[in-house]
Amino acid sequence: MEIITFAPVMNEVHKEYSDIFLRENTNQEKICEDMVYCHTLAYIRSGEMVMRKGGRMMTLKKGDTALVRRSHQVKVYKQPTRQGEPFNGLFVRLDIDFLKNIAQHGTLPRPQGAPVAGKTMAIRLPNDAELMGLMETLDRYYSVELLPSQAFVASKVEEFVRSLVERNTDLVSVLFDCMDPWKPSVEEFMNENFTVDFTTEEFAHFTARSVDDFKSDFSSIYQKAPSRWLLHRRLDEAYRLLQEKEMSLTEIFTSLAFKNQSYFSASFKRQFGFSPSEV
């Protein structure tokens, strides 16, 4: 089934095919800020895609391919070039269940190098003709409305993923981080995403654990419950930001996932012994 939605920005078209493949086109800047929920293969046909996370930035231009890693909160700019070339990107999403199925129905190569750093939001796949070929093939099918089956698309993507990790074994620990022994680090994920308004269940999901396993791993690291650690960590960050005096009080407490100022102020005073306005 083909799902087509038109975004409110003029001349922007977002087409999503099945659960795996999508195409995005725009001749105006598009900004998205959200959690990247699953690993995504990206191929930029024209224009550029700029990704920012904290002080890090990566720009993909015409002909570039990359693996955008899951469980990252990333600000993405999909935009035309300064010369007016519109943005045209093709994307393949690799959700956890799909990757687990690949791992459980075939042997994966063992990574040879050190694990790829967890803070890397995307990994370039230089001159990956196979990925470009996969994207163009899928796009041709949908462009002429042949509408291939989900099973057909999945088989083509699985074939590519197996080829990709055979050519670069270090990507095994990235793509299959939902499998033991490649689960994401709880400590690293929490320190990167403590400002995100997630429930314990969502934190468990994004670290590829059951809720009980997440709580157990979390307790072994921090010796306290996730909710209590999050409150203290956010208040510590609020204190740091207040000292810098570059953000308003409202900007600070909303950016740190506090629901309202009264709760933030009361919690702040309990932890530090004085109110935010006294910093």
Side-chain angles (χ1 to χ4, degrees):
M1 181 178 67
E2 177 181 355
I3 303 169
I4 303 179
T5 59
F6 292 88
V9 178
M10 185 180 298
N11 298 323
E12 178 185 318
V13 180
H14 170 99
K15 290 189 178 181
E16 182 173 343
Y17 307 99
S18 68
D19 295 323
I20 300 175
F21 180 68
L22 68 96
R23 179 204 303 147
E24 288 188 303
N25 306 284
T26 182
N27 59 12
Q28 298 187 27
E29 183 178 73
K30 176 184 179 183
I31 302 174
C32 310
E33 185 171 15
D34 205 350
M35 177 65 66
V36 178
Y37 287 90
C38 57
H39 294 310
T40 302
L41 296 166
Y43 168 42
I44 310 306
R45 280 168 139 181
S46 64
E48 61 183 23
M49 183 169 82
V50 180
M51 294 174 284
R52 296 180 184 272
K53 178 178 173 62
R56 301 186 296 279
M57 182 180 78
M58 177 181 288
T59 301
L60 301 177
K61 298 184 177 182
K62 183 176 181 178
D64 286 345
T65 56
L67 168 64
V68 183
R69 299 181 67 179
R70 75 181 186 93
S71 303
H72 280 271
Q73 189 178 34
V74 179
K75 180 173 287 187
V76 182
Y77 300 80
K78 298 171 183 176
Q79 59 198 24
T81 63
R82 292 182 179 179
Q83 292 73 35
E85 181 184 57
F87 175 81
N88 184 311
L90 304 179
F91 303 90
V92 166
R93 292 179 296 212
L94 308 171
D95 67 27
I96 288 177
D97 289 339
F98 178 77
L99 291 169
K100 282 184 176 179
N101 184 67
I102 292 177
Q104 291 166 358
H105 292 88
T107 303
L108 295 171
R110 299 295 299 179
Q112 300 299 312
V116 177
K119 293 184 180 181
T120 305
M121 58 188 163
I123 300 167
R124 291 182 182 275
L125 303 174
N127 301 318
D128 201 304
E130 285 193 42
L131 177 55
M132 287 187 274
L134 169 70
M135 296 288 198
E136 294 290 1
T137 297
L138 293 177
D139 192 59
R140 278 196 296 273
Y141 274 107
Y142 290 112
S143 294
V144 295
E145 298 185 355
L146 290 176
L147 302 181
S149 68
Q150 181 87 346
F152 174 82
V153 176
S155 68
K156 289 295 183 183
V157 175
E158 178 177 347
E159 182 181 325
F160 169 76
V161 169
R162 290 192 180 280
S163 174
L164 179 64
V165 296
E166 287 289 342
R167 288 179 282 129
N168 187 343
T169 59
D170 293 342
L171 289 178
V172 172
S173 59
V174 176
L175 280 167
F176 298 92
D177 60 359
C178 55
M179 308 286 290
D180 285 327
W182 304 304
K183 285 182 179 178
S185 161
V186 168
E187 183 174 14
E188 186 173 86
F189 186 83
M190 296 303 295
N191 281 321
E192 283 199 358
N193 297 285
F194 67 91
T195 63
V196 184
D197 188 18
F198 280 162
T199 63
T200 298
E201 289 75 14
E202 288 172 313
F203 278 117
H205 170 77
F206 286 117
T207 54
R209 289 162 170 82
S210 68
V211 173
D212 287 343
D213 286 345
F214 173 77
K215 288 180 177 178
S216 175
D217 290 350
F218 190 96
S219 179
S220 68
I221 297 168
Y222 296 110
Q223 290 77 54
K224 61 180 66 174
S227 58
R228 189 162 183 80
W229 180 87
L230 281 166
L231 176 60
H232 289 173
R233 181 67 180 86
R234 288 166 178 168
L235 289 171
D236 285 341
E237 180 66 7
Y239 182 76
R240 184 187 71 80
L241 293 172
L242 286 165
Q243 286 183 309
E244 291 181 352
K245 301 186 185 303
E246 294 181 357
M247 297 172 64
S248 70
L249 184 59
T250 300
E251 289 173 329
I252 289 172
F253 81 76
T254 54
S255 70
L256 294 172
F258 286 97
K259 301 299 185 184
N260 56 67
Q261 184 171 338
S262 60
Y263 174 68
F264 167 69
S265 297
S267 300
F268 190 96
K269 189 165 186 176
R270 278 196 300 271
Q271 177 155 324
F272 297 108
F274 48 85
S275 67
S277 60
E278 296 177 273
V279 176

